[in-house]
Amino acid sequence: MAEKTLVILISGRGSNMEALLDARLPARVAAVVSNIPQARGLGVAARRGIATAVVDHRAFPDRAAFEAALAAEIDRHRPDLVVLAGFTRILTPPFVERYEGRIMNIHPSLLPAFPGLDTHRRALEAGVRIHGCTVHFVTHALDSGPIVVQAAVPVQAGDTEERLAARVLAQEHRIYPQAIRWFCEGRLRVGRDGAVAVDAARAADGALTAPPLEAP
Ligand code: GRF
């Protein structure tokens, strides 16, 4: 199977991006693109020899102009998958539709609970016992779209936003590489009902092996 090409979009720290780079995926990261020039992740990527680019949303008169420039930068690399990894700009339907079925996001909650911002604070305020994170294909509705994989993180007595966020982040770093590996292996199928199936892996001898069970 031909190696897949990824473009990763970030806005800040870039720890999910780093987890993907560390994961030795059967893929080439062609570029890391940020809308924020100071994003820490840009330096991390550059030090690892990955091409970086900045498309600063503040330099454009409107969202459409920004997204046109962003799409041009992405498309230069002809990626099989666009990976949102802490990318904080809301993307409009025309942009998302351009990459339908080949754009993924990671969100720090168990969707459909807590879409949007401040997910850890809101989870604590709601008193949920189980929190977590979700990898999903991106559709035009915010933080929705076919769910590829989730990890559950129990809320502990006395948890602060920071402590809970750290435990969720550790799970993000585990499930995002897993989801992208499945994508690269051609094993993800999105059904008409929006449910994602993970095909069993085909071993070198042609035998089928079941996908691993995901423990948190
Ligand atoms: C992560 O919690 C991710 O789920 C959310 O933004 C945060 C980005 O962190 N979308 P990082 O930039 O990957 O370290």
Side-chain angles (χ1 to χ4, degrees), residues 4-8 21 27-33 49-53 73-74 76-81:
K4 301 287 190 215
T5 300
L6 313 180
V7 168
I8 304 179
L21 297 178
R28 185 177 72 89
V29 177
V32 171
V33 182
I50 302 202
T52 62
E73 181 57 40
I74 293 169
R76 277 191 331 113
H77 303 284
R78 300 179 176 276
D80 298 288
L81 183 68

Side-chain angles (χ1 to χ4, degrees), residues 12 18 22 30 40 43 45 52-53 64 70 73 80 99 121 167 181:
E18 266 189 282
D22 287 341
R40 171 189 170 274
T52 62
L70 183 61
E73 181 57 40
D80 298 288
Y99 300 106
R121 181 175 58 71
R167 294 204 312 285
R181 186 177 300 280

Side-chain angles (χ1 to χ4, degrees), residues 55-146:
V55 182
D56 185 346
H57 60 280
R58 290 163 303 188
F60 297 90
D62 54 31
R63 219 176 262 278
F66 163 64
E67 289 185 351
L70 183 61
E73 181 57 40
I74 293 169
D75 293 349
R76 277 191 331 113
H77 303 284
R78 300 179 176 276
D80 298 288
L81 183 68
V82 177
V83 178
L84 305 184
F87 185 73
T88 53
R89 298 302 290 174
I90 288 176
L91 298 165
T92 66
F95 183 92
V96 169
E97 276 155 25
R98 181 187 191 95
Y99 300 106
E100 195 186 342
R102 53 190 190 102
I103 179 166
M104 263 190 211
N105 184 40
I106 183 143
H107 181 78
S109 77
L110 288 176
L111 291 172
F114 311 120
L117 299 174
D118 298 326
T119 55
H120 309 303
R121 181 175 58 71
R122 287 158 59 210
L124 288 173
E125 283 171 4
V128 297
R129 297 302 167 139
I130 305 286
H131 187 41
C133 48
T134 303
V135 177
H136 63 97
F137 283 107
V138 176
T139 57
H140 54 272
L142 178 70
D143 295 329
S144 89

Side-chain angles (χ1 to χ4, degrees), residues 163-176:
R163 282 180 45 182
L164 183 56
R167 294 204 312 285
V168 172
L169 192 65
Q171 294 303 311
E172 294 184 36
H173 295 166
R174 196 177 64 84
I175 65 170
Y176 215 3

